[in-house]
């Protein structure tokens, strides 16, 4: 991978990181505002708790993605970006363009997913 491609991926990763951080901060402010509102009956309380639980799952997924983005940025600095963490083979450029923070080549990803089933 040449320097221009790496610079382009770095720019995309930094942009995605900012988007995830803004989204998470915005969602957190909304949740904080919702918690200040008094809740009505038991059904309202249950609905509110369910919504809170779904929010925290989304936040957890965003944090996982943010960690992957940060890891990809570190790999760019170390010169190992674009290499599969499992087999050390090159990850296809098309795959990196679709998911710039991906860690595995398609073959290793499929093997890992099939093992989990």
């Amino acid at each position: 991978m040449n320097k221009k491609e790496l610079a382009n991926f770095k720019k995309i990763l930094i942009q995605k990181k900012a988007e995830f951080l803004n989204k998470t901060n915005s969602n957190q402010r909304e949740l904080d505002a919702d918690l200040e509102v008094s809740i009505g009956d038991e059904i309202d309380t249950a609905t509110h708790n369910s919504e809170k639980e779904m929010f925290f799952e989304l936040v957890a997924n965003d944090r996982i993605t943010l960690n992957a983005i940060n890891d990809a940025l570190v790999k760019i600095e170390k010169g190992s970006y674009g290499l599969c963490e499992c087999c050390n083979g090159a990850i296809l450029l098309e795959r990196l363009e679709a998911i710039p923070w991906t860690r595995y080549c398609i073959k290793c990803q499929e093997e890992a997913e099939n093992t989990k089933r």
Side-chain angles (χ1 to χ4, degrees):
M1 190 174 308
N2 63 38
K3 288 184 180 184
K4 184 178 178 182
E5 289 173 330
L6 279 175
N8 188 35
F9 280 117
K10 185 174 182 177
K11 180 181 172 183
I12 291 169
L13 288 165
I14 290 170
Q15 179 183 2
K16 287 292 183 186
K17 180 179 176 179
E19 287 175 16
F20 274 102
L21 288 172
N22 288 335
K23 177 182 165 190
T24 302
N25 289 338
S26 173
N27 288 343
Q28 185 63 50
R29 283 190 296 271
E30 288 176 19
L31 181 66
D32 291 344
D34 285 346
L35 290 176
E36 292 175 6
V37 176
S38 62
I39 299 174
D41 61 13
E42 292 178 11
I43 294 173
D44 288 338
T45 302
T47 300
H48 185 71
N49 288 339
S50 176
E51 289 171 355
K52 239 180 12 179
E53 189 174 320
M54 285 188 294
F55 170 76
F56 287 122
E57 285 180 25
L58 291 173
V59 169
N61 288 336
D62 286 349
R63 286 187 182 151
I64 290 168
T65 303
L66 274 171
N67 287 339
I69 289 171
N70 286 329
D71 291 345
L73 288 167
V74 168
K75 285 181 178 184
I76 288 174
E77 298 302 319
K78 288 184 175 182
S80 61
Y81 180 76
L83 297 178
C84 177
E85 289 183 7
C86 189
C87 68
N88 277 340
I91 299 173
L92 293 175
L93 188 59
E94 292 84 1
R95 181 166 170 80
L96 290 171
E97 288 171 347
I99 310 169
W101 54 87
T102 191
R103 298 166 50 189
Y104 305 104
C105 66
I106 293 173
K107 181 182 176 192
C108 292
Q109 182 76 39
E110 286 176 349
E111 288 175 3
E113 288 174 357
N114 287 336
T115 302
K116 290 179 184 177
R117 291 181 189 168

